[in-house]
Amino acid sequence: MPAKDAFHAVVKTALEKEGWLITHAPYALQAGTLELYVDLGAEQVIAAEKQGQKIAVEIKSFLSPSKITELYAALGQFIIYRIALQKKRSQSHFIFSSS
């Protein structure tokens, strides 16, 4: 299980204040034989629902000395999670937008 990012609680509270219902923390995904946890930074994912929409939120803080390395890691995570979510959506009608 991934560790929580430094800003996990703040992001979760902000989503709840905006009317989102937190349904998973973390949100587990499968990518082939790999089990992934959507987590945009340190290590925690939040899945939420609002008015029929579903989102997966990855929390990233970029606190290490090498910001570019963290950016590369975050971009790689985003690409992998996006593919896994698209596959899941095609199997179960999960709504995902990259906009």
Side-chain angles (χ1 to χ4, degrees):
M1 185 72 60
K4 292 181 180 179
D5 185 88
F7 300 108
H8 173 84
V10 174
V11 173
K12 182 177 177 183
T13 299
L15 286 170
E16 290 172 332
K17 284 184 177 183
E18 288 297 314
W20 290 92
L21 171 66
I22 306 303
T23 60
H24 299 80
Y27 186 78
L29 286 173
Q30 283 295 130
T33 59
L34 298 175
E35 187 166 314
L36 307 172
Y37 298 93
V38 181
D39 66 46
L40 192 242
E43 269 73 39
Q44 192 60 31
V45 77
I46 303 170
E49 269 186 65
K50 182 177 182 180
Q51 299 172 347
Q53 296 179 336
K54 294 182 181 182
I55 61 171
V57 178
E58 183 71 23
I59 304 162
K60 201 69 161 165
S61 57
F62 292 88
L63 298 175
S64 83
S66 178
K67 305 297 185 240
I68 195 72
T69 298
E70 288 196 39
L71 176 63
Y72 290 154
L75 181 59
Q77 285 177 318
F78 171 78
I79 292 167
I80 292 167
Y81 294 159
R82 182 173 158 182
I83 292 166
L85 286 167
Q86 287 171 337
K87 184 174 181 179
K88 184 172 183 128
R89 178 185 60 187
S90 69
Q91 295 170 349
S92 67
H93 301 37
F94 183 82
I95 299 169
F96 178 75
S97 174
S98 60
S99 59

